[in-house]
Amino acid sequence: YQHMTKTFPKLVDAIIEGIQEKKGHDITICDLRKFNAAPAQYFVVCSGNTPQQVDAIIDSIEEFARKQAGEKPSAIAGRNNSLWVAADYGTVMVHVLVPDAREHYDIENIWADAEITEIPDLD
């Protein structure tokens, strides 16, 4: 996969690859570096069709982030029902949601002026 002109930190690239490996879709990167109050520098948001796929995507993200960027999440929340799972990598926060939850919570638009990059689906 490639970004047109964007370069993201290695961890973000690894997370994107982990998502794509398990057919996660509608990947959105929110660059939050200009917000002092933001909990991370980047939000990576994507959709998985079912709780099972959300789980598989999170597993894949963990594997890619560890192998390619040497990073482990400090916390993972939401695995009890896997409708919305968040993984905290410190500088990067990953949100994997089923479509209904994603529509409902609309995470990408919490930070109205964030620079948003949409990664085209592979298929």
Side-chain angles (χ1 to χ4, degrees), residues 6-17:
K6 285 264 180 294
T7 46
F8 291 115
K10 190 193 282 186
L11 175 57
V12 173
D13 285 337
I15 289 166
I16 292 168
E17 285 189 55

Side-chain angles (χ1 to χ4, degrees), residues 66-104:
R66 189 179 67 245
K67 286 186 177 159
Q68 294 184 10
E71 301 265 2
K72 289 185 173 160
S74 60
I76 295 182
R79 282 217 176 218
N80 51 340
N81 64 15
S82 298
L83 299 176
W84 174 5
V85 180
D88 183 354
Y89 280 91
T91 57
V92 182
M93 188 78 90
V94 186
H95 300 274
V96 184
L97 302 93
V98 294
D100 285 353
R102 179 155 181 188
E103 213 171 288
H104 180 77

Side-chain angles (χ1 to χ4, degrees), residues 8-52:
F8 291 115
K10 190 193 282 186
L11 175 57
V12 173
D13 285 337
I15 289 166
I16 292 168
E17 285 189 55
I19 293 167
Q20 291 176 330
E21 176 71 19
K22 295 298 179 192
K23 308 270 190 280
H25 53 93
D26 298 325
I27 302 170
T28 303
I29 315 296
C30 305
D31 184 339
L32 305 177
R33 289 173 299 177
K34 67 181 178 187
F35 301 103
N36 294 333
Q41 293 176 2
Y42 294 92
F43 272 11
V44 180
V45 185
C46 79
S47 300
N49 294 325
T50 62
Q52 293 79 3

